[in-house]
Structures are given as C-alpha cells and as structure tokens.
Amino acid sequence: MTETPHPMYTAHADTLARALTAIAERGYWSAYPESPSPRVYGETAAAQGEAAFRALLGNRYPLDQPGTVDWVATEASPFGVDLGVSYPHGDVDALVTAARAALPAWRDAGPQTRVGVCAEILARLHANIFELANAVQFTSGQAFVMAFQAGGAHALDRALEALAYAYAEMSRHPGTAEWEKPAGKGDPLRMSKTFHVVPRGVALVIGCNTFPTWNSYPGLFASLATGNPVVVKPHPGAVLPLAITVRIAREVLAEAGFDPNLVLLAVEAPGERIASTLALRPEVRIVDFTGSTEYGDWLEANARQATVYTEKAGVNTIVVDSTDDFAGLCRNLGFSLTLYSGQMCTTPQNILVPAGGISTDQGHKSLDEVAAGIAAAVGKLTADPARAVEFTGAIVNDGVLARLAEVGGDVVLESRAIDHPTHPAAVVRTPTIVKLAADAVDTYGREWFGPISFVVATDSTAHSLDIFRETVGRKGALTAAVYSTDEKVLDAAEEAAVDAGVHLSCNLTGQVFVNQSAAFSDFHASGANPAANAALTDGAYVAGRFRIVQSRRHL
C-alpha cells in the first residue's frame, strides 16, 4: 500500500531528502541560517519579531487547550525584564485524555505525512525565529545572538535531524510484502503481509531552563514524527519559548487536518511537580528529560512503563599535554569558559595539566603560566562590560550564584559582577578559575554548573588520562578535549575517551569550540557514560519510539 503524499510532505520533500543525505554523509549542512543579519532575514524581521515578543508580555498567552482550570505565571527573567506572561494550567487527566484521543488518526496517517507536517511546523517556527529568539533570551539569560543561534537556528537543525532519523528508521522496512514459500508438489504458500508503524503512546518532554528549545526539540519532533502525541512540560523559568512552539505546532496540525491536541502544553504551578505526576502515568510511554542527575536518575528508576531518554550532569574534562599554538589554546579555552557564563552542559570544567608544565611554541610553560594564560584570555573577553555581556549573558538562577559563593581553592581568576549596559537589573558574573591539586577529587570530581573551572595539577599526562578516565567513567561527561603535539598522546586520549564513552576534540585553537556541536555531523552526548543515556541524534534515539506490528492474509 503506497502512502499518498500529503501536500505538506510534498512542500518539504527536498529539504527532508537533503537532511537524510546529511545524516548519512556527516558533513556540514544547515537548513536554517544562523546569522540574524538583515541581509539574511530582511530589514524588518528583527523588529517584527521583537514586537511580537513584547506584545505577549503582561498578558495571558493565547493558547486554547482542553482542561484549563486556571492560569499561572512563574517566569522571572535573568535580565530583570518583567515578563508577566500567564499560561493555561491544565487538568492532567484532561490533557492525557485529549492526547490519547488524537493518536489513532495521526498513527494511521503514516510516516510520510507525519514527517511532512512536522517539517511544516519547523518552517513556521523558522518564520517566527526572532520572536522565538527573544523568548529564549529573556527566559534563559542567553545573549541575543546566542539565543538566536542555539535557541533558534541550531534548535531547528537538531529537530530536522531528528525527523530525518525518524523517517529513516520508520521506512527501513517496506509497508507491504508478498510472501511465497514452496510447498512440495502442491501449490506454494502465499501470503500478503502488511507492516504498520505503531507509536508507543503519549510522550512527555520535560524542558530545561538554560536551553528550552535546543534540548526539547529533538525529543518533541522524534516522538511526534513517529506517531506519538506529545505533552510538553516546560521548566517554570522558561515557559514562553515552548509555549510559542506548542502554539505554532497546534496551528499547523489543525491546518493539516489533524487534532491539535497532538501537542499540548503542561505548565506547573509553584511546587506542583507535575512532571513527576505525568511521568508515572501509565499512558505516558516516552519521557525526554534534560537536567539534574538526581531527577534524571529518579525518572529512569521510577517511570518504568516508559522509555526514558535523559541528559544529565557530567564533568567535562580537558587534558593539556603540549601545544604548538599556546595563544590559540588560551583563546579557545577562554572563550569556551566565558560563553553563556559556563551555563552549558558542554562547558569544560576540569583542565588537567602536568605539575611540571608543558612544552609549547613559546617554549616551556609552567602550570601557573598555563593557568594564567587561560585566565588572561577570559579577562580580555570580559574587560569591556558592553562587549562582555554579549558573551556571558546573564546568570540563569540562584543555584549558580550559590555555587560561585561555595567554591574554594587557589583562585587564579576571581569571578566578578558586571553591570549590564542595557538591562541594569541583570545578574552577570564572569568566570572563576581555581587551581587544585590532583588529590582534591572531592571538589573537581563533581559537576559545578556555571562559570567555575579548575586547573588540576597532575603528576604527568599519563596521570591526567587516568583521572580523566576515572572521573568521566564515574560521573559522566558530554565533552572532552586534549591538547598535544605527540600522536601517541592523542591516540592514548582517544582510547581513554572510547573507554569512558565521551566525545573527544583534539587541539582546538581556532573557531571550533569544545562546547559547541553541529547538527547532522556531531553527536551530542553518546549514551555511553552516566551523563546521558541517549545521543542526539542517532537511530537508537528514535527507534524505541515506535514498534512494527504486522498483519498477514492468504493470497
């Protein structure tokens, strides 16, 4: 049985085909321009997007959903902007019931139609990218360009990547087959077989505060494309970006002839813990979560009726052995530590350096000189407040400030407050760098989320690799890097990374940074260490969201 192409699939067939090619080739490709330049998006796009965002402030968000019992507002902008947006607070039973009722027609539409409709949702989100970027900026604390790129263009790329993997997995087997088996002297046995792609059930996406779209879009669109209705539960501090997403998704689904309740927003009142309530519902068969190790572990242990995909905390590590570009090493690491005030799950934390120093193109550098070089690069980026805030953004919550106050040791670079020139109420902090001995594992052996990094004095590069293997094996990591002019060291680091199950970058001294990854080429997380049980994005990330059910009849 051949699926009749839906108009939305036809409209996006070329983009989907290019995405399928991209995940197979793993080269550079992006469907959504990352520059917010007027030359790319037009002279009026930025102003119109900001105006659309401003029009939402202080109002009820225009979202009509079943089961709304009251309205809640929980966001506080890290930039000190009064958001005042309230959202429909729904009855959990009503939301789950509505989602389940929407499933059968969406399932029966078939993979091609579902992927086409999802691609149209992405196109509509792209058309509203400036509104979305403002929402990400003022809820997460990211500077605008980063919010536009990570929260807009790159999030859309990751969503499209998930669609490509979902379509590839769903179309791996034919929809129908004719089976014929010889039966001796009699007529052969003949059967017609039909293979149905069957969704698992209701999917739950639990959003995070720092990257509300980038971390949510892969799971949302992987589940929706594979036939599952999705309940989106935003972080209380970053509701607006996902509310915009849900609104646009519902509009497209309705236009395509489907029940808009395939995508629902589930906001929580203070202290309600609606994520836990939803995660344990028997109807919820898929859970996607980004956030703390503690809650991720709880979901994995308790949401037993569901397939649970988690990205949790880790201890990202840099091994420094030697370099032929010391200035480039310092600039590259300085930028990585400064970007979004270290509030990225991929930001380096532990920088392992032999106590005896390293060889460089500038001659031998002591451990103190290595630490000072990285600190100087951070200092240069953050010296001018107007320039600094475009890298640092603002501090997302009080937990980051508490960790900054708690950290101790031999301080190489003090964190300092910066006055934001545009948003006086913004809370801005520059990175701190602390020097530690190798035996201070109780300190550097756990995650310090935020602008906090440690230069750890080790006995040797071999000792550094041992520490790297042990801490990442025990606590997990999303990124790792090594600097060395010795191929044997690079090979040993790669072997250690494979053992620990973490992605490795080697000798980054230019405009590629360890805490950034490219959709369609780089995998984000591996699922092979405690920091995450899944990777964005591979076949395993999507294949568990559906099953194949067959029927057969005699011919």
Side-chain angles (χ1 to χ4, degrees):
M1 180 168 55
T2 303
E3 187 180 337
T4 302
H6 190 282
M8 288 184 181
Y9 175 82
T10 302
H12 300 288
D14 289 346
T15 299
L16 291 166
R18 185 63 187 87
L20 286 164
T21 300
I23 63 172
E25 294 179 345
R26 312 305 299 181
Y28 171 75
W29 181 67
S30 173
Y32 308 100
E34 67 177 3
S35 171
S37 168
R39 292 189 299 274
V40 177
Y41 285 93
E43 294 294 333
T44 62
Q48 289 173 344
E50 182 179 0
F53 162 74
R54 297 285 177 185
L56 298 171
L57 305 186
N59 294 306
R60 287 185 171 184
Y61 191 80
L63 195 61
D64 182 20
Q65 293 191 156
T68 298
V69 293
D70 57 3
W71 295 73
V72 296
T74 56
E75 294 160 310
S77 174
F79 288 104
V81 173
D82 185 14
L83 300 175
V85 186
S86 57
Y87 304 93
H89 182 219
D91 174 75
V92 168
D93 287 335
L95 292 174
V96 172
T97 298
R100 291 188 70 197
L103 187 153
W106 185 239
R107 174 198 63 206
D108 296 344
Q112 198 177 80
T113 292
R114 291 196 299 267
V115 171
V117 174
C118 287
E120 176 62 20
I121 295 172
L122 296 183
R124 300 282 183 91
L125 287 167
H126 188 222
N128 291 272
I129 191 170
F130 282 93
E131 178 186 2
L132 193 64
N134 276 275
V136 171
Q137 175 185 6
F138 287 104
T139 56
S140 71
Q142 296 175 28
F144 176 76
V145 172
M146 184 177 186
F148 185 92
Q149 292 178 342
H154 297 170
L156 292 169
D157 270 335
R158 283 294 186 188
L160 181 58
E161 180 184 46
L163 290 189
Y165 272 100
Y167 190 65
E169 292 297 327
M170 289 188 293
S171 58
R172 183 180 296 278
H173 307 289
T176 60
E178 291 190 1
W179 179 86
E180 182 175 305
K181 178 181 179 181
K185 294 181 179 180
D187 292 336
L189 303 173
R190 295 187 181 94
M191 301 200 80
S192 172
K193 302 185 180 185
T194 302
F195 304 97
H196 300 276
V197 173
V198 177
R200 297 291 305 279
V202 177
L204 171 65
V205 173
I206 303 173
C208 68
N209 200 169
T210 48
F211 290 88
T213 54
W214 196 97
N215 280 113
S216 297
Y217 279 13
L220 194 169
F221 285 95
S223 286
L224 191 62
T226 51
N228 307 276
V230 183
V231 177
V232 179
K233 188 272 160 191
H235 188 282
V239 181
L240 187 54
L242 291 178
I244 293 170
T245 303
V246 169
R247 185 198 80 226
I248 290 173
R250 289 172 62 84
E251 291 171 357
V252 172
L253 285 162
E255 288 178 28
F258 296 100
D259 189 337
N261 293 329
L262 285 162
V263 181
L264 293 156
L265 188 73
V267 298
E268 65 177 322
E272 185 179 17
R273 296 185 61 83
I274 194 174
S276 299
T277 300
L278 283 164
L280 299 184
R281 293 280 301 216
E283 305 93 336
V284 171
R285 304 303 302 278
I286 301 166
V287 177
D288 286 277
F289 167 75
T290 300
S292 71
T293 296
E294 181 182 14
Y295 192 60
D297 289 345
W298 183 91
L299 287 169
E300 291 172 7
N302 291 279
R304 304 305 295 271
Q305 85 291 348
T307 299
V308 179
Y309 301 89
T310 60
E311 180 192 308
K312 300 173 286 189
V315 181
N316 301 320
T317 303
I318 310 290
V319 174
V320 181
D321 168 74
S322 55
T323 181
D324 58 7
D325 184 0
F326 182 69
L329 177 154
C330 293
R331 285 194 304 270
N332 190 280
L333 287 182
F335 182 84
S336 293
L337 302 185
T338 304
L339 188 62
Y340 190 28
S341 297
Q343 299 170 121
M344 302 175 69
C345 57
T346 51
T347 299
Q349 175 180 298
N350 296 339
I351 304 171
L352 309 179
V353 184
I358 65 170
S359 62
T360 80
D361 58 315
Q362 299 179 17
H364 184 270
K365 294 288 185 181
S366 69
L367 180 142
D368 286 345
E369 288 174 317
V370 173
I374 298 169
V378 172
K380 185 175 182 180
L381 283 172
T382 58
D384 174 21
R387 181 169 179 261
V389 296
E390 298 306 317
F391 299 117
T392 64
I395 297 299
V396 70
N397 57 46
D398 291 342
V400 176
L401 297 176
R403 283 185 288 276
L404 271 171
E406 178 189 353
V407 68
D410 185 358
V411 177
V412 177
L413 180 67
E414 289 272 10
S415 176
R416 72 183 201 281
I418 290 179
D419 292 331
H420 197 294
T422 307
H423 304 289
V427 178
V428 182
R429 296 290 186 274
T430 62
T432 187
I433 300 175
V434 175
K435 187 169 63 174
L436 295 174
D439 60 4
V441 66
D442 288 346
T443 300
Y444 67 77
R446 61 187 177 95
E447 187 192 35
W448 294 72
F449 184 78
I452 301 166
S453 294
F454 303 105
V455 175
V456 181
T458 67
D459 296 340
S460 62
T461 295
H463 186 210
S464 296
L465 290 173
D466 288 341
I467 292 173
F468 164 55
R469 185 182 276 107
E470 193 280 328
T471 54
V472 173
R474 181 167 48 86
K475 289 293 187 179
L478 296 176
T479 60
V482 60
Y483 288 89
S484 181
T485 58
D486 187 335
E487 287 294 327
K488 292 181 179 179
V489 172
L490 295 178
D491 289 343
E494 187 159 347
E495 182 179 350
V498 170
D499 288 344
V502 62
H503 305 310
L504 180 71
S505 299
C506 301
N507 292 324
L508 299 182
T509 55
Q511 294 303 304
V512 176
F513 304 97
V514 69
N515 45 343
Q516 297 175 320
S517 65
F520 306 104
S521 185
D522 295 324
F523 293 105
H524 172 75
S526 67
N529 70 67
N533 72 356
L536 303 181
T537 306
D538 59 9
Y541 186 71
V542 299
R545 298 171 192 264
F546 67 93
R547 291 292 183 259
I548 302 294
V549 176
Q550 74 171 49
S551 65
R552 55 187 183 176
R553 301 179 185 183
H554 282 293
L555 285 170

